Amino acid sequence: MEEELKSLIKVLVLTIISISYCYYLPPKIKPGLPRFLSVFPILTLFLVLPLFFSTVHLSFITAFFLTWLANFKLILFSFDKGPLIPIPSNLSRFLCFTCFPIKAQQNPKPQTHLPILVFATKVAIFGVLLHLYDYKQTLPPLLLLGLYFLHLYLEIEIILTLLKVFVSISLGCDLEPQSNKPYLATSLQDFWGRRWNIIVPSILRPAVYTPMRQVSERRMSSDWALFSGILVTFIVSGLVHDLLFFYLTREMPTGEVTLFFILHGVCLAAELAVKKKTTVMQRWRLTPAVSRILTVGFVFVTGSWLMTPQLARSGVMEKYINEALFFVSFVKHKLF
């Protein structure tokens, strides 16, 4: 634990220095290749920092925030695109908007007690889930994989919610929600485009989808260009997630995670093609309740099939659970 704390301090110091450099120097350089070359050393450093840690939580969080989000945002920033343009007004905002999955809310909505209730429900379900692991030896393997997938979702939601509250208070501004009730999605388009990890589409759209579609439209019809843009975007997302899994397992990627995203990209393209056929839509229109069951069920089944087995085989889920239990025990000890 002492070594991990030292590594955390090193990573924090290196991150602050790196982001400070990106805030003060590259904006003075012409957008395009010259600015990209000026931030390239930082991109390389952010690929290495997750390897400083031995715990899976710190490895994953560092990889998600720096290797995934910060690197993509800085690449877009190099070409005067993405969520860092216009440049935030001060260094603290630039650091937060670069590293974290947050976005300033343009039209703040009145606060309600419902998000607090939803968050409390997620925490309660997560607590029940941790308790169920006491009986995992008696649980069917397929059910256990499903519980692992649910565990990952709940923990990510809880961490990002707490992060949003902390950053919002620190910066003194309202932030967009990171997710919008993904369990209520009525289609894959709704799930990936408007509900799950909302900041990611705002990064992948200008970084991958739009350039790919523009290039494809020179050689094929608009519809096929749309589908190729979607598929390439999901392939890139899959490769990035495989990289995140590498930081967790420290093993060569098996391709299962990329396959998950390719499958969803193909299904999303097929879904959009069906939606364009008005006669089909009129004849087979589903109720929202049925659409939600099918959509969430598809995400859950494919995620349990393709995402969690690699983590279970490598022993990462065991470490993940033990670290979560240790943290819960530590909090209980401090509070009570």
Side-chain angles (χ1 to χ4, degrees):
M1 184 58 69
E2 185 178 343
E3 288 299 317
E4 205 73 352
L5 183 58
K6 291 180 181 178
S7 297
L8 179 60
I9 293 171
K10 290 178 185 177
V11 169
L12 289 174
V13 171
L14 288 171
T15 300
I16 292 171
I17 294 173
S18 300
I19 298 300
S20 300
Y21 161 81
C22 290
Y23 180 71
Y24 288 110
L25 183 61
K28 299 177 182 178
I29 301 174
K30 182 181 177 182
L33 184 59
R35 187 184 291 180
F36 173 76
L37 291 176
S38 73
V39 302
F40 184 76
I42 306 303
L43 304 179
T44 305
L45 175 64
F46 284 177
L47 286 171
V48 176
L49 290 183
L51 298 175
F52 281 37
F53 298 108
S54 59
T55 56
V56 292
H57 279 84
L58 288 177
S59 296
F60 176 76
I61 290 171
T62 307
F64 178 53
F65 288 168
L66 301 182
T67 308
W68 177 194
L69 294 177
N71 271 0
F72 267 78
K73 290 179 185 180
L74 289 174
I75 291 172
L76 288 170
F77 171 69
S78 300
F79 297 91
D80 254 358
K81 297 180 179 179
L84 297 180
I85 301 297
I87 300 174
S89 57
N90 56 56
L91 177 59
S92 60
R93 288 198 171 207
F94 185 80
L95 190 150
C96 290
F97 290 140
T98 300
C99 298
F100 301 141
I102 58 173
K103 183 179 178 182
Q105 196 167 37
Q106 302 300 324
N107 300 303
K109 299 177 182 179
Q111 295 294 318
T112 66
H113 294 293
L114 184 58
I116 299 176
L117 178 61
V118 172
F119 177 74
T121 302
K122 291 175 183 176
V123 172
I125 295 174
F126 185 68
V128 171
L129 193 60
L130 291 178
H131 181 69
L132 281 176
Y133 289 138
D134 292 338
Y135 309 97
K136 66 180 180 180
Q137 300 297 334
T138 61
L139 296 175
L142 292 178
L143 176 60
L144 193 58
L145 290 177
L147 293 178
Y148 287 161
F149 187 70
L150 180 61
H151 178 128
L152 294 175
Y153 161 71
L154 289 172
E155 191 163 317
I156 290 171
E157 284 277 271
I158 291 169
I159 291 173
L160 293 185
T161 300
L162 294 174
L163 173 69
K164 178 193 168 187
V165 172
F166 173 77
V167 174
S168 181
I169 294 173
S170 301
L171 297 182
C173 67
D174 292 299
L175 302 173
E176 296 280 355
Q178 294 99 341
S179 296
N180 180 25
K181 302 181 182 70
Y183 44 84
L184 296 181
T186 56
S187 65
L188 289 177
Q189 182 184 18
D190 186 33
F191 180 87
W192 290 112
R194 293 184 288 268
R195 291 191 178 275
W196 173 245
N197 214 345
I198 297 172
I199 190 66
V200 170
S202 70
I203 297 172
L204 290 178
R205 192 174 290 112
V208 182
Y209 172 76
T210 300
M212 184 61 199
R213 185 172 180 180
Q214 290 173 345
V215 170
S216 300
E217 284 179 341
R218 301 173 189 169
R219 299 177 177 272
M220 58 186 71
S221 67
S222 178
D223 285 346
W224 283 107
L226 168 69
F227 299 148
S228 65
I230 291 172
L231 186 57
V232 171
T233 301
F234 273 84
I235 290 174
V236 170
S237 183
L239 292 173
V240 171
H241 281 78
D242 251 330
L243 178 60
L244 297 183
F245 273 49
F246 164 75
Y247 290 121
L248 291 175
T249 63
R250 307 294 163 92
E251 298 174 358
M252 286 299 295
T254 62
E256 291 166 287
V257 180
T258 299
L259 180 58
F260 169 85
F261 283 92
I262 292 175
L263 175 62
H264 278 252
V266 171
C267 291
L268 175 55
E271 179 185 284
L272 292 176
V274 171
K275 286 181 177 179
K276 288 179 178 290
K277 305 292 184 181
T278 54
T279 54
V280 175
M281 289 301 296
Q282 290 173 355
R283 183 176 299 181
W284 295 97
R285 186 175 295 276
L286 301 174
T287 64
V290 174
S291 297
R292 287 182 181 122
I293 292 172
L294 292 176
T295 302
V296 176
F298 180 75
V299 173
F300 180 78
V301 170
T302 54
S304 302
W305 167 40
L306 292 170
M307 295 195 78
T308 54
Q310 183 182 354
L311 299 179
R313 288 194 304 267
S314 62
V316 167
M317 280 309 306
E318 191 73 27
K319 295 179 183 177
Y320 218 85
I321 294 166
N322 290 336
E323 288 177 14
L325 289 171
F326 173 80
F327 178 76
V328 170
S329 299
F330 177 78
V331 172
K332 283 182 178 179
H333 177 73
K334 291 297 181 181
L335 292 178
F336 306 104

